[in-house]
Amino acid sequence: MDTLRRWDKKGKLKSLRASNRNHRYYSLTQLEEFLTSSCVRLAIKWAGSSIGEKPNDIFYCSDSSVFQGRLYKLRNALSKNKEIESFFSLLISIVGEIGDNSFGHNLGNWPDLIGIFFAYDVKKKIIVLADRGQGVFKTLKRVKPELQNDAEALKVAFTEIISGRAPESRGNGLKYVRAIVETNPIDLFFQSGEAELNLSQNNLILKIKKAEKPIRGCLVIIKF
């Protein structure tokens, strides 16, 4: 109660007061917007947790059909934004590519929790996706057994076209994502296991470094 009272006073989470001033009320829309404002922090915590627990339902896509439904909702939310009109469809396509990769590459092999974390904040222009899957290294090592670590696997995923990976047939997976980001006003952070990278428009140098904290699966943060 003290926390809610403090947040109300600071404007962090304003309550709706009825005639009885001793009670605070919150609409579902208010609570969803409040949670979404912390989506990056929540996704990082979820992906890095040692135990896979189902996230809040407004972020959780248990299967591909749920993800596609929420992707359609994102499309509608952004469709009237004139600032991104020139690359709107491409932005939606890379979000779809990343989400589909999570389901396609982990099909039948999820280590603990099936599904992905998918959230967005239209006002802050940020989209977050995460999964607790096998990660890029384990996925690619099946077709490139010479790979030694997460960093090597991440480099291959963003630079090399690998045959025999059915989920990539639509657009060569992360190579397609990279091509879109580098030619449009989009910033992308991608982490898998212990390796991470940042991509942005006109940034042709792929810099991969060791992450401060390893995660299970993949974490993607898109800013536009």
Side-chain angles (χ1 to χ4, degrees):
M1 287 187 293
D2 289 339
T3 298
L4 290 176
R5 189 178 295 112
R6 185 170 61 253
W7 286 356
D8 196 344
K9 186 176 181 180
K10 291 182 177 180
K12 185 175 181 179
L13 181 61
K14 294 291 292 183
S15 64
L16 304 173
R17 295 299 187 96
S19 56
N20 184 344
R21 299 288 292 176
N22 292 324
H23 292 82
R24 287 179 168 83
Y25 296 89
Y26 303 89
S27 69
L28 180 59
T29 300
Q30 275 182 293
L31 296 177
E32 288 183 349
E33 290 179 350
F34 178 71
L35 287 172
T36 300
S37 68
S38 303
C39 61
V40 173
R41 177 177 57 81
L42 292 171
I44 292 173
K45 182 179 180 180
W46 180 75
S49 175
S50 59
I51 300 175
E53 297 182 353
K54 191 182 83 167
N56 188 289
D57 285 342
I58 68 171
F59 304 135
Y60 181 50
C61 298
S62 57
D63 56 44
S64 183
S65 63
V66 176
F67 169 67
Q68 290 299 327
R70 294 188 178 173
L71 183 62
Y72 182 78
K73 186 177 179 181
L74 172 62
R75 176 187 290 274
N76 287 341
L78 295 177
S79 62
K80 296 180 181 180
N81 188 331
K82 297 298 183 180
E83 294 181 6
I84 65 171
E85 189 174 14
S86 63
F87 63 96
F88 161 72
S89 60
L90 295 173
L91 176 63
I92 296 298
S93 72
I94 65 172
V95 175
E97 187 75 48
I98 293 168
D100 286 344
N101 273 351
S102 290
F103 288 107
H105 295 319
N106 290 296
L107 186 63
N109 292 297
W110 294 93
D112 54 18
L113 184 68
I114 297 173
I116 69 173
F117 183 110
F118 176 35
Y120 53 86
D121 188 329
V122 174
K123 293 180 181 178
K124 293 183 179 180
K125 299 181 180 180
I126 191 165
I127 301 167
V128 185
L129 301 103
D131 68 56
R132 294 180 57 83
Q134 302 174 87
V136 175
F137 177 41
K138 191 171 183 179
T139 300
L140 283 181
K141 196 170 177 61
R142 291 197 293 267
V143 290
K144 287 184 73 71
E146 66 272 21
L147 291 174
Q148 298 297 311
N149 52 50
D150 291 314
E152 288 184 10
L154 209 55
K155 181 179 180 180
V156 168
F158 277 90
T159 60
E160 297 182 23
I161 296 177
I162 303 173
S163 61
R165 301 182 70 214
E168 287 203 341
S169 61
R170 184 162 64 110
N172 292 319
L174 296 178
K175 273 72 68 178
Y176 169 76
V177 172
R178 182 186 181 188
I180 297 303
V181 171
E182 290 179 346
T183 54
N184 291 276
I186 300 171
D187 293 330
L188 180 139
F189 168 87
F190 193 106
Q191 180 179 350
S192 180
E194 297 183 339
E196 67 178 43
L197 60 80
N198 287 279
L199 292 175
S200 60
Q201 187 178 23
N202 299 321
N203 182 9
L204 302 180
I205 301 176
L206 193 67
K207 294 183 179 179
I208 300 172
K209 64 179 184 179
K210 187 173 182 179
E212 292 184 6
K213 182 180 179 181
I215 62 168
R216 175 76 68 90
C218 298
L219 169 69
V220 182
I221 302 172
I222 300 171
K223 297 180 180 180
F224 57 93

